[in-house]
Amino acid sequence: MEEFIVEKMKENKIPGISYGVIDGEKVEMRGIGFRNVEKALPATERTLYGIASVTKSFTALAIMKLVEEGKLDLKAEVESILGIELKPFGEPVRIHHLLTHSSGIPSLGYAEAFIDGFFGSRESWLPVAKPQDLVPFIKDMEGWAVARPGKRFFYSNTGYVLLGLIIEKVSGVKYEDFIREKILEPLKMERTDFRPKDEDFATGYILQEGKLVPKPFPYGITSDGGLISCVEDLVKYLRMYITLEGPVSEEYLKLMEKEYIEVPWQMFGGEAYGYGLVIYPRFYGKRLVGHSGSLGSYTSFIGYIRDEELGVVVLENSSGYAPSLIGMYILAEKLGEDPYKIEGIRREEILKRFEGTYYGFKRTIKFVVKRRGDFLFLEGEWGSVPLVPEVVEEDYIKAFTLSGGRKMYAEFFLKDGKAEMLYERYRLVREP
């Protein structure tokens, strides 16, 4: 398990990772690497990270608390509460639609514009220091809809900003105060908040031209991704879902993990969105529930399998490698399963197997093959060509690129322990 984590940290230049594992009554927590590279400060289980969109589960939990208290109806129209016109194709968007990202309105890209502008990584700049700042920006958002409410999934940070405003409107207190009083305090999550509680706060990094560049935490709107937490506290949070005991009753916790709408990304098949949670109903024959998050400079994943009393938390101060894959790897090992059957991990390992320098007949031509994420790139003196894998098997890859509007295929084989490639008119063999 830790060998896998360290390997991914090395390959992807990840500064620090903190993780926690619940296995019945036992809990294992640890930090690996640095929370701050420049000062050589180590990461621990108490190190604070931005948990990004894992915050959405807290927002959904807060909504369920208000529903349980009889102060809110999941069928309530958003417009009737906030006064924001929201009837795409004449049908009202309801609380349920915001919770499940099924308003029918594609993402407005507000969070991307805000974070990128905050980091200075592109020209866009959307100054939203509080949710009310976003209201003028979204005024005509219903005109951006492409589907009727409830018919199609579009992941929406804006929808969870509106849920934060609804929590404030209905409860009469600030969103942040409601989360503290109704969730964090009852669960004794003493170091979780919307600002770091102490100096044990990981510096967030992005990789630019091979170098780790520190970036400030993008403070602003909180209900879609603004919480700061640590493994130690998130283990307590997961324990609530596993035991179904906490500040919200079992009935409403279970409502959060129902499969309301299928999500467009499928890894095991049948993945769906609940209320602030993603459900993987076919994870090695088990039901995995969780959520991931990314702020660019911080990434996160929480997941649990209630029937096995298993849970995992993975926090990272970069976006070098998906914490969800690390979390799923850990859970697979705990189940006694082969983690390399996870499609994302399996494909990555096979693509890596075919990287290297390939030569033609008597070294007349040379190509370099490199993996970047889910793609291979074919590099030569003339430039770089992306290869999109269509077939990925243990000893064979079929990938394509486009040239003049035509598909051109590259095939990779393992033959007698050597890697070979057929590309256009050429046969090439990789040399050590």
Side-chain angles (χ1 to χ4, degrees):
M1 180 172 70
E2 287 199 347
E3 290 86 351
F4 178 80
I5 295 173
V6 171
E7 177 190 349
K8 296 309 168 190
M9 293 178 74
K10 181 177 178 294
E11 288 177 0
N12 299 281
K13 209 162 186 178
I14 298 168
I17 285 179
S18 295
Y19 74 90
V21 185
I22 299 171
D23 187 356
E25 294 300 314
K26 295 185 291 185
V27 177
E28 178 185 352
M29 297 183 287
R30 184 158 141 67
I32 302 174
F34 298 101
R35 73 175 189 262
N36 184 293
V37 174
E38 292 75 25
K39 297 180 180 179
L41 299 175
T44 73
E45 67 274 12
R46 287 178 56 81
T47 297
L48 296 165
Y49 297 77
I51 66 170
S53 285
V54 171
T55 304
K56 289 181 174 66
S57 64
F58 287 80
T59 299
L61 188 64
I63 289 288
M64 301 314 288
K65 182 67 177 175
L66 290 170
V67 173
E68 182 181 41
E69 292 175 348
K71 296 176 182 177
L72 191 61
D73 189 328
L74 290 169
K75 296 180 181 178
E77 298 180 13
V78 174
E79 185 175 337
S80 69
I81 301 172
L82 297 180
I84 296 172
E85 206 169 307
L86 210 53
K87 289 184 178 178
F89 301 104
E91 294 188 15
V93 173
R94 304 179 188 276
I95 303 293
H96 168 84
H97 298 135
L98 296 185
L99 285 167
T100 56
H101 302 281
S102 63
S103 68
I105 304 171
S107 171
L108 305 181
Y110 110 80
E112 292 83 349
F114 168 65
I115 292 171
D116 288 347
F118 201 92
F119 288 170
S121 54
R122 67 178 189 179
E123 292 180 1
S124 64
W125 174 240
L126 187 61
V128 283
K130 54 189 181 299
Q132 290 77 10
D133 295 342
L134 195 63
V135 173
F137 175 74
I138 65 174
K139 188 176 180 182
D140 54 354
M141 67 183 288
E142 69 176 12
W144 199 243
V146 298
R148 297 181 185 279
K151 299 298 183 184
R152 190 166 175 182
F153 180 94
F154 290 108
Y155 192 83
S156 174
N157 285 298
T158 304
Y160 271 74
V161 174
L162 295 178
L163 287 171
L165 287 170
I166 287 167
I167 290 166
E168 291 191 353
K169 186 82 171 180
V170 174
S171 69
V173 301
K174 286 187 65 178
Y175 166 82
E176 294 82 1
D177 290 335
F178 190 89
I179 296 296
R180 291 185 190 105
E181 294 167 13
K182 300 294 185 177
I183 299 175
L184 302 181
E185 290 175 11
L187 290 175
K188 294 182 169 54
M189 297 177 68
E190 297 169 355
R191 301 187 65 247
T192 302
D193 209 323
F194 299 93
R195 295 272 172 169
K197 287 288 187 80
D198 51 52
E199 293 183 357
D200 192 358
F201 179 36
T203 300
Y205 294 87
I206 62 172
L207 199 59
Q208 290 181 332
E209 298 179 354
K211 296 181 179 180
L212 287 169
V213 179
K215 294 292 180 179
F217 186 86
Y219 294 108
I221 296 173
T222 52
S223 57
D224 59 337
L227 265 175
I228 293 169
S229 189
C230 61
V231 166
E232 192 175 65
D233 275 4
L234 288 171
V235 161
K236 299 174 185 176
Y237 184 61
L238 278 185
R239 193 66 90 176
M240 173 193 68
Y241 289 107
I242 292 172
T243 62
L244 293 171
E245 296 176 356
V248 174
S249 68
E250 177 178 330
E251 175 188 355
Y252 292 97
L253 288 175
K254 285 189 171 180
L255 275 181
M256 290 179 65
E257 25 173 74
K258 286 184 68 175
E259 298 157 42
Y260 295 109
I261 188 165
E262 187 176 89
V263 297
W265 60 84
Q266 296 287 314
M267 186 179 296
F268 306 95
E271 281 91 325
Y273 208 87
Y275 290 160
L277 294 168
V278 180
I279 297 88
Y280 304 83
R282 300 173 190 167
F283 182 79
Y284 294 96
K286 307 295 180 182
R287 194 169 191 268
L288 168 63
V289 181
H291 210 288
S292 58
S294 174
L295 289 171
S297 54
Y298 297 92
T299 49
S300 57
F301 177 73
I302 61 168
Y304 61 93
I305 304 172
R306 180 178 299 116
D307 289 347
E308 301 295 322
E309 296 184 23
L310 285 176
V312 66
V313 178
V314 182
L315 304 177
E316 180 181 321
N317 57 342
S318 75
S319 56
Y321 189 78
S324 58
L325 291 179
I326 293 174
M328 289 177 185
Y329 184 101
I330 293 170
L331 290 172
E333 278 206 341
K334 290 294 180 180
L335 289 171
E337 300 286 354
D338 179 5
Y340 289 95
K341 289 183 179 179
I342 297 170
E343 186 60 16
I345 296 174
R346 184 189 76 86
R347 288 174 66 90
E348 177 188 45
E349 292 303 311
I350 294 173
L351 294 182
K352 280 166 53 181
R353 199 175 296 163
F354 287 93
E355 288 186 298
T357 303
Y358 291 73
Y359 291 94
F361 184 68
K362 295 185 179 180
R363 300 173 71 95
T364 50
I365 56 172
K366 181 179 81 170
F367 291 107
V368 177
V369 175
K370 293 182 179 179
R371 181 190 65 87
R372 295 179 202 160
D374 293 323
F375 301 93
L376 291 173
F377 282 79
L378 196 60
E379 299 180 354
E381 293 180 1
W382 31 261
S384 179
V385 172
L387 297 174
V388 182
E390 273 190 354
V391 179
V392 180
E393 297 174 353
E394 289 300 314
D395 55 1
Y396 174 73
I397 295 173
K398 186 178 182 180
F400 74 89
T401 188
L402 295 174
S403 177
R406 298 170 299 165
K407 262 188 178 181
M408 288 179 56
Y409 282 93
E411 294 180 86
F412 296 85
F413 310 83
L414 282 178
K415 189 175 180 181
D416 299 326
K418 282 190 175 182
E420 294 193 12
M421 173 176 60
L422 294 178
Y423 175 66
E424 211 252 345
R425 74 197 76 174
Y426 305 111
R427 177 192 177 195
L428 303 106
V429 179
R430 185 178 66 190
E431 294 191 4

